[in-house]
Amino acid sequence: MSIQAASTATMPAVDADTLHTLEQELRWRLDGEVRFDLYSRMLYSTDASNYQIEPYGVVIPKTYDDVRGTLELAAKYGVPVIPRGGGSGLAGQAVGRALIIDFSKYLNQIIDLDTTSHRVRVQPGIVLAQLNAKLRRHGLMFGPDPSSGDRATIGGVVANNSSGAHSILYGMTSDHVIDAHVLLADGHELTLRELSDEDLQHRARLSTREGQLLRDLLALRERYGEAIVRDYPRHWRRASGYSLKELIAERFNPARLLASSEGTLAVGLEYTLNLVPRPKQTGLVLLQFDDLVAAMALVPRMLECEPSAIELMDGMLISLTRQQPGYAQKIAFITGNAQAVLVVEFYGESDAELQDKAQRLLHHLAGVTFAEEPLVILDPGRQADVWAVRKAGLGLLMSVRGDAKPIPCIEDVSVPVEHLAEYVAEINRLVAEHGTKAAFYAHASAGCLHVRPLINLKTLQGVQAMRAITEGAAELAVRFGGVMSGEHGDGLARGELNPRLFGPTLYQCMKELKATFDPQNLLNPGKIVDCPPMTENLRYGPDYHTIDIKTHLSFEREGGFARAIEMCNGAAVCRKLGSGTMCPSYMATRDERDTTRARANALRNALAGRVLTPQHFTDKRTYEVLDLCLSCKACKTECPSSVDMAKIKTEFLAHYYAEHGTPLRARLFGNIHALNKLGAPVAPIANLVLHSPLGNLGKRLIGVHPARSLPHLARQPFDAWFRNVHIPRGDGTRGPVVYFHDTFTTYNYPEIGRAAVAVLETAGYRVILVERRACCGRPMLSKGLVEQARTNARKNVALLAPYARAGIPIVGTEPSCILTFRDEYRDLLPNSPDVELIASQSFMIDEFLARELQHGVQLPWKAEAGPHVLFHGHCHQKALIGVGPTLQVLRAAGCTVEESGAGCCGMAGSFGYETEHYEISRKIGAERLFPKVAAQAPDTVIAVAGVSCREQIAHFTGRRPVHVVEVLASRLEPAVQSAAEPTGVALAAE
C-alpha cells in the first residue's frame, strides 16, 4: 500500500481480544494510569462539541516513557490514538474511536524559561492560564489568548492554532512555535525546528526517519508550491485545514505544521514557545449599537486607531448575562437594550495616554449614532469584568433554556474585516431562511465571528438545518475570501467541508501531508482529511431520548431533570485552575472524573442510554463519579451555563439511597440537629464521651476520620441563653428582626448568636427567636433525605410566613442554613407564595447590615482602627450573594479587610469529616486557602461566615477563626459591647 493510499484507508474496528491484550500490556509497561472501564470510556466520549464517540480506552501518562510505550503498543495492535488536553474543543477534535492520551494531569510543567530571549519550553498538558500566571512575575506572557485559556492546555492550543482577542497584535499560535519535540505514530522521536536551506538539504539526505520526513516535505513543496501560492486562502486568521503555507515559508520550520493539525501529525512531548512583554496598562471603550450590521461596518474604521483588540458581544449574549447570577453584576454598567456592544481595547503606559487614545477613537467616529453614550473604562477591576463576560460567551449562550440551543457549527468563520458587515448580513439572512436566529460574539478586529444559530438537534429537522446552514456558511466564507475556522479548528464539525474550501489540489496536498507524518493513519483519524459527515456521531440527535424519572425536587425552572443535566455543554470551565471555587475536587485531583462535566456526562448518558444504560443511573459507579462533588454550588454561578450540580446530586442521592438503602452515617449527619438537641442537656458528659475511646470507636463505626474532632456541645445552648439570661438593650426603634438560629450556633457556638444579637440590638432592632423551628433541612438535602427536608421546610414556612408577610426580615449567621430558604425551598415547595415571600425576606446578617447601613443605620463603632482581617467566604455565600456585603460591613466597622481569594475550604458540611474524603478535603484547602492563612501575621484576625470553614481552618492550620459577626461585635464601643462579652471572643488585634 502506498503512503498516499494508506492515509485514506478507513480504520477498521478493533476487536475485543486485541483491546484486552493491549490493556494488559499497557498496565504492565506504564507507570501512568490505564483506564479501559466503561465509565472512563464514557467520560472521555465527549468534549465541548456536538459530538459523542466512545473511545477504546484512556491512558494518563506520568512520564515521556509512558507516552512512548503507549504509541509503540498502539502501533503494534493497529489502535488509533488521540492526544488530548482539556477537552474544551468545540469541533470534536478530542473525541473518536481511539485510545485517548490525556496529558493534562501529570505532563504539565515548565521545563525551561529564558527571560532574556523571551522563550519558554513546556510540556503539552500545562494550562495556558497557569503558564501565564508563572510568567507574570517576569513581565511576560504567551501572546495568543483564547477564551478557553483558563482550562485549555498548550498541546491543545498548538493543535488548534489558537489565537484569541489580541491576534491583530500577536498573530496566531503558529507564529510563536519555535520548536517541538515530538513522537511520530511509528515511535520515532524528533525535534522539529527552523532549518536553514543548507541544513534542510543536508538533513533531508540522511537515511533516518527525520531525513525521510524532510524529503517528503520538500517533495510536497515542489509538487504543490505553486498551487499553495495561488489557491491557499489569503486571510491570515485561519485554523481550517493544515498549515500548508508553512511548506513555502521563507524560513522553513516543520514544527509550525503542527499548529492546526489537531493531533493528526505527531504527538508533542515538549514545545518551545515565543513570549511577549505583558502590557503596562490597558483601557476599554464600550460602544453600543442598535444594529449589528452597522456596528460591523465600523470595524475597519476603528482599526485605523490601532487598538489592541475589538470584541463583539451581541444583544442575546448581553440579555443572557443579565439573567446569570454569577455574571450579571459584571456588566451592570451596560444599560439599555443594544443589539451589539463593541469592546475596543488600547494598550498604554499611563491613564493619560489611554484617555488620549480613547478620545482619538471617539473623534474618529464623530457623526456615528450610538445606542448609549460611549463608556471609557480604565479601572482594571471593571475591565476584568468585561473580559470575563466576553470570554464566557459560549457558556452564557448555552444557558438558554429548552432544547433549541445556540450550537457550534458555523461558530468560527473568519473573513477579512472589510467584508464583516456583508458577511453578518448574509448569515442573518441564511439563518432566517431556516426559521431561526443566531447569536454573535466575535474577535471583530480579526474578522473571526463566533456565530451560533439556535437549533434543536434532537429533531431530524434540526439536524438538517445544521447541515444546510453550515454548507451555506461555507459558501459565504469562500465568497468573501475567508475560511470556516479562525481558531477552533475543523474536527468533526467542519472537516467534511475542506475539499470545498480548499479545492481538490490543495486537499490532495493535505492528504499527502497527513500520510507523510502518519502513513498508517493512527493519529486522530477522521479529522481534517477523510472526515465523516458532520451529522454523524451527534451527542444529541433524532434518536436521543431520556427516560422519565419522578423527581423528589422540582425541576420546573430547568424544564425537567434531564434538561438540568443537559445544561452542561462540555465547555469544561469546571477544569479551570487557580481561580474561583468551581470545581474544588478537580482542582485537587486534576482528574477528569472529578469535574462537574464528568458528573453531568454520567447522568446524561444513563438517562439517555448512551454508552451507559438506564440501569446505570443508580449504579455504584455512578455514585462514585458524583461522590467528590462537595455541593459547593459554585457551578451554579461560575459555570456560565448555570449547571446546578449540588441540586442534581441531591436528586441523585435520593434515588440512589431509595435503591440501595440509606447508610447510617448519612442518616446521622442529615439529622445533626436532632442529635445535638439530644446531647445538649448532658453536654459535659456528651463531650467527654466524644473524646473518649468510646467516642473514637463510634467515629470509626460511622466512618469519621480519627484525626477529626467533632464540635463540642455548649454547656448553655444559645436559645436557653436568649430565654433565660439575655437582657434586651436598646428600644428596638427600628422594629423587629427574626434571628433564625442555626443548629451550630444553637448547640456548638452560641457565642456567634450572642454576637449577632448584640450587633442587631445595637443597630436598633428588636430580636425575635422563633421557638420550635425545625432544622432548615440543608444537612438532609446534602445526604439525599429530601422527604425529611420537605417536612422541615413545611414547618419552617408555616412558622416564618407570618413574619415575612408583616415585612419582618429573617436574618441568619450560617450561610448554608439561611440561604436554603432562598434556594432549595423553592424546589422543595414549588409554586408556594409563602416560600417566595420568605425568600425575599431572608438575609445573611452581614448582607442585611450592609443594606441597612446604606439606608442610614449607624452603629457606634470604636474610634481606633480595627484589626487586619482575612475573610474567607462560605461557598454557598459566594455562589448566591457574594462576599461584597461582608467586606463592606467590616470596612465600615474600621477593619482593614482582605478577601482570601481562595476557593472551597474543603470541609463542605460532613464531607471533610468522612474517612474516605479526609485527604481530598485537605488537598482542596491546601490548594490556596491554607497557604493564605499561614502567610498572615499573628495579629491578623481570620474571619469566616460558616462553621465548616471555621472547623477546617482550625484543624489544618492551627489558627482560630471567628465568625464575621464576632468581629463586628468586638468593634462596638465598650458601652454596648458588653452584650457580646459572654462570647469569650478575644480578637488577636484588639
Side-chain angles (χ1 to χ4, degrees):
M1 182 182 291
S2 68
I3 288 179
Q4 179 177 334
S7 70
T8 63
T10 301
M11 296 297 297
V14 182
D15 64 85
D17 289 342
T18 299
L19 288 175
H20 178 72
T21 303
L22 172 63
E23 179 185 2
Q24 297 306 311
E25 292 197 33
L26 287 168
R27 291 186 185 281
W28 174 78
R29 179 164 176 176
L30 272 54
D31 292 327
E33 301 173 35
V34 178
R35 303 178 181 176
F36 277 62
D37 62 282
L38 174 66
Y39 274 70
S40 292
R41 299 199 308 271
M42 175 273 299
L43 294 179
Y44 283 86
S45 66
T46 63
D47 52 10
S49 71
N50 295 326
Y51 300 95
Q52 176 164 337
I53 303 174
E54 182 185 350
Y56 291 127
V58 180
V59 169
I60 306 177
K62 289 185 176 179
T63 65
Y64 296 157
D65 279 343
D66 284 347
V67 185
R68 295 180 184 109
T70 301
L71 286 177
E72 180 182 323
L73 290 171
K76 175 182 175 181
Y77 292 106
V79 176
V81 168
I82 299 178
R84 176 167 164 143
S88 58
L90 297 170
Q93 299 96 320
V95 298
R97 197 71 171 144
L99 180 63
I100 303 285
I101 304 179
D102 181 352
F103 285 90
S104 64
K105 187 172 183 179
Y106 298 114
L107 297 179
N108 51 24
Q109 301 300 308
I110 294 176
I111 303 301
D112 183 57
L113 172 62
D114 186 338
T115 57
T116 302
S117 62
H118 291 187
R119 293 185 174 193
V120 67
R121 191 166 187 81
V122 297
Q123 294 178 318
I126 190 169
V127 172
L128 175 56
Q130 293 292 98
L131 170 63
N132 278 333
K134 294 175 181 178
L135 295 174
R136 179 181 292 274
R137 72 193 69 156
H138 304 288
L140 298 171
M141 66 181 188
F142 183 67
D145 57 341
S147 297
S148 59
D150 58 358
R151 67 266 191 201
T153 64
I154 286 294
V157 167
V158 172
N160 266 19
N161 201 10
S162 298
S163 47
H166 297 93
S167 61
I168 55 173
L169 291 183
Y170 304 126
M172 304 187 73
T173 293
S174 58
D175 299 308
H176 299 272
V177 175
I178 297 172
D179 66 51
H181 189 68
V182 303
L183 283 167
L184 301 183
D186 57 18
H188 284 87
E189 197 162 340
L190 308 174
T191 297
L192 305 176
R193 59 167 63 93
E194 182 181 318
L195 298 171
S196 65
D197 286 342
E198 182 180 354
D199 198 13
L200 173 60
Q201 295 300 329
H202 168 71
R203 290 176 177 271
R205 288 192 291 269
L206 300 175
S207 58
T208 60
R209 182 65 175 95
E210 180 189 24
Q212 178 192 346
L213 177 67
L214 293 175
R215 285 195 298 275
D216 290 341
L217 294 177
L218 287 172
L220 288 176
R221 175 199 282 182
E222 180 66 25
R223 281 199 301 277
Y224 295 104
E226 290 184 4
I228 294 170
V229 171
R230 182 183 65 247
D231 300 329
Y232 199 75
R234 286 168 173 72
H235 185 45
W236 61 273
R237 181 68 184 256
R238 179 212 57 79
S240 290
Y242 287 121
S243 301
L244 297 185
K245 275 199 169 181
E246 298 299 338
L247 291 173
I248 60 172
E250 183 177 347
R251 303 176 66 172
F252 178 64
N253 185 346
R256 293 186 172 181
L257 288 167
L258 302 182
S260 79
S261 70
E262 301 181 10
T264 62
L265 301 183
V267 176
L269 295 179
E270 293 179 1
Y271 296 98
T272 302
L273 306 170
N274 174 63
L275 303 174
V276 299
R278 184 174 293 277
K280 299 291 185 185
Q281 288 185 229
T282 61
L284 300 181
V285 182
L286 266 63
L287 306 173
Q288 302 184 54
F289 299 86
D290 287 325
D291 182 74
L292 175 62
V293 175
M296 294 297 94
L298 286 170
V299 171
R301 189 166 158 190
M302 295 178 188
L303 287 172
E304 294 170 1
C305 294
E306 300 180 327
S308 54
I310 304 175
E311 295 290 291
L312 164 70
M313 297 184 288
D314 80 343
M316 186 186 301
L317 177 57
I318 296 297
S319 176
L320 288 168
T321 302
R322 287 170 174 159
Q323 299 171 33
Q324 219 286 31
Y327 289 83
Q329 287 303 313
K330 296 181 184 298
I331 60 162
F333 48 83
I334 297 179
T335 58
N337 296 298
Q339 294 305 299
V341 176
L342 286 179
V343 181
V344 186
E345 183 194 63
F346 292 98
Y347 285 175
E349 297 289 323
S350 65
D351 283 355
E353 180 184 353
L354 292 170
Q355 281 283 9
D356 286 345
K357 289 184 175 182
Q359 294 307 313
R360 180 188 171 213
L361 172 70
L362 296 177
H363 178 75
H364 199 62
L365 297 177
V368 173
T369 300
F370 300 108
E372 301 286 338
E373 283 296 311
L375 285 173
V376 178
I377 303 176
L378 301 184
D379 175 66
R382 293 179 73 190
Q383 290 184 52
D385 285 342
V386 174
W387 282 114
V389 172
R390 168 58 192 86
K391 292 191 172 189
L394 154 68
L396 289 164
L397 289 174
M398 293 302 285
S399 67
V400 169
R401 302 293 184 185
D403 290 331
K405 299 285 188 181
I407 65 165
C409 61
I410 60 170
E411 94 290 348
D412 201 36
V413 172
S414 184
V415 298
V417 290
E418 60 267 25
H419 297 307
L420 264 176
E422 296 171 272
Y423 180 78
V424 169
E426 287 296 300
I427 284 291
N428 275 330
R429 178 192 58 77
L430 176 65
V431 297
E433 287 177 357
H434 291 85
T436 187
K437 59 183 178 179
F440 291 79
Y441 60 109
H443 305 301
S445 53
C448 183
L449 294 168
H450 299 325
V451 185
R452 286 178 163 254
L454 269 72
I455 294 176
N456 180 6
L457 287 178
K458 296 178 181 178
T459 67
L460 178 60
Q461 182 183 10
V463 174
Q464 291 171 339
M466 179 186 77
R467 172 174 285 283
I469 290 174
T470 304
E471 290 178 340
E475 292 175 4
L476 292 172
V478 172
R479 185 202 306 179
F480 291 115
V483 291
M484 283 300 288
S485 176
E487 62 181 346
H488 294 167
D490 298 326
L492 297 168
R494 291 176 285 273
E496 175 191 354
L497 299 173
N498 279 339
R500 300 188 210 180
L501 185 64
F502 293 99
T505 302
L506 293 185
Y507 185 68
Q508 179 60 30
C509 179
M510 290 182 185
K511 293 177 71 172
E512 293 180 27
L513 177 66
K514 162 70 171 172
T516 293
F517 277 89
D518 179 23
Q520 299 305 312
N521 195 27
L522 290 176
L523 296 179
N524 207 0
K527 312 297 173 12
I528 299 183
V529 296
D530 301 314
C531 303
M534 68 183 76
T535 52
E536 291 185 3
N537 305 305
L538 291 172
R539 183 192 309 191
Y540 304 110
D543 62 341
Y544 178 88
H545 302 285
T546 57
I547 62 172
D548 290 327
I549 287 182
K550 181 176 175 56
T551 60
H552 298 263
L553 296 169
S554 170
F555 284 86
E556 183 179 349
R557 288 183 287 171
E558 296 86 349
F561 184 50
R563 282 181 176 168
I565 296 166
E566 291 165 8
M567 291 303 293
C568 175
N569 56 74
V573 181
C574 48
R575 287 177 60 105
K576 62 183 171 61
L577 298 170
S579 64
T581 300
M582 179 183 72
C583 173
S585 51
Y586 174 76
M587 289 184 186
T589 69
R590 310 293 170 93
D591 198 305
E592 174 68 24
R593 69 186 171 195
D594 298 323
T595 62
T596 305
R597 173 171 71 178
R599 294 159 194 143
N601 266 336
L603 296 172
R604 188 190 68 252
N605 273 279
L607 291 180
R610 297 281 185 95
V611 186
L612 306 183
T613 67
Q615 287 70 37
H616 287 100
F617 179 65
T618 53
D619 190 284
K620 185 176 186 294
R621 291 168 292 180
T622 306
Y623 175 89
E624 290 169 350
V625 173
L626 273 80
D627 183 46
L628 293 190
C629 171
L630 282 74
S631 296
C632 67
K633 298 191 183 185
C635 50
K636 186 168 183 171
T637 51
E638 291 183 28
C639 171
S641 300
S642 294
V643 177
D644 191 350
M645 190 52 63
K647 179 180 177 181
I648 291 169
K649 183 180 180 181
T650 292
E651 184 66 38
F652 167 78
L653 286 176
H655 290 272
Y656 183 80
Y657 289 147
E659 177 79 16
H660 300 279
T662 305
L664 174 62
R665 184 176 69 190
R667 292 189 182 279
L668 291 175
F669 277 122
N671 288 280
I672 191 69
H673 178 83
L675 292 176
N676 277 340
K677 187 174 182 180
L678 285 172
V682 290
I685 298 173
N687 290 331
L688 284 173
V689 171
L690 279 176
H691 295 88
S692 70
L694 184 60
N696 291 332
L697 175 62
K699 286 196 292 185
R700 285 198 297 271
L701 288 175
I702 65 171
V704 171
H705 195 276
R708 289 289 191 186
S709 296
L710 295 171
H712 278 72
L713 289 167
R715 288 178 176 269
Q716 183 182 53
F718 167 73
D719 54 354
W721 170 85
F722 189 85
R723 283 192 305 268
N724 304 322
V725 179
H726 168 58
I727 301 174
R729 58 188 61 246
D731 52 12
T733 53
R734 291 196 172 272
V737 169
V738 172
Y739 176 50
F740 193 87
H741 50 302
D742 60 274
T743 296
F744 300 105
T745 294
T746 302
Y747 298 113
N748 307 111
Y749 297 105
E751 61 267 27
I752 296 175
R754 295 197 291 267
V757 170
V759 173
L760 289 170
E761 290 186 341
T762 302
Y765 298 96
R766 177 169 59 86
V767 177
I768 299 172
L769 239 58
V770 178
E771 299 290 350
R772 300 182 307 282
R773 95 303 185 272
C775 167
C776 68
R778 178 66 232 172
M780 299 165 184
L781 290 167
S782 70
K783 298 304 178 185
L785 306 176
V786 180
E787 295 311 316
Q788 278 188 259
R790 197 187 325 275
T791 298
N792 283 20
R794 287 195 180 103
K795 182 174 182 179
N796 285 330
V797 168
L799 286 170
L800 295 173
Y803 297 100
R805 290 193 202 103
I808 298 173
I810 303 162
V811 174
T813 45
E814 178 60 35
S816 61
C817 178
I818 196 69
L819 295 178
T820 299
F821 298 160
R822 283 159 63 165
D823 193 10
E824 286 89 351
Y825 273 27
R826 288 179 162 127
D827 300 316
L828 286 167
L829 303 172
N831 305 315
S832 166
D834 284 345
V835 166
E836 292 301 321
L837 193 60
I838 290 169
S840 70
Q841 290 291 336
S842 298
F843 306 93
M844 280 289 297
I845 190 167
D846 37 346
E847 178 189 22
F848 174 73
L849 290 171
R851 186 188 74 168
E852 297 303 284
L853 288 173
Q854 289 179 338
H855 292 162
V857 172
Q858 295 184 353
L859 282 159
W861 306 119
K862 291 179 180 178
E864 68 269 21
H868 177 73
V869 177
L870 177 72
F871 174 69
H872 179 70
H874 187 280
C875 287
H876 291 187
Q877 174 190 21
K878 288 186 283 189
L880 299 179
I881 60 175
V883 300
T886 311
L887 304 181
Q888 179 183 341
V889 174
L890 285 170
R891 288 175 182 136
C895 301
T896 303
V897 190
E898 180 184 4
E899 202 266 321
S900 73
C904 179
C905 72
M907 180 62 93
S910 68
F911 180 91
Y913 283 101
E914 295 161 2
T915 300
E916 68 273 24
H917 298 147
Y918 180 80
E919 184 56 25
I920 196 74
S921 172
R922 183 197 65 78
K923 285 184 178 180
I924 290 169
E927 198 260 338
R928 275 176 289 158
L929 177 58
F930 301 161
K932 187 72 176 181
V933 172
Q936 301 305 305
D939 59 351
T940 295
V941 175
I942 311 299
V944 296
V947 167
S948 290
C949 309
R950 183 184 192 125
E951 295 292 319
Q952 181 81 330
I953 292 171
H955 180 73
F956 282 112
T957 71
R959 295 292 292 263
R960 184 188 177 197
V962 295
H963 194 284
V964 62
V965 79
E966 295 179 89
V967 180
L968 297 177
S970 75
R971 291 293 302 152
L972 297 174
E973 283 287 359
V976 294
Q977 188 188 351
S978 58
E981 283 177 359
T983 65
V985 175
L987 299 184
E990 290 290 289

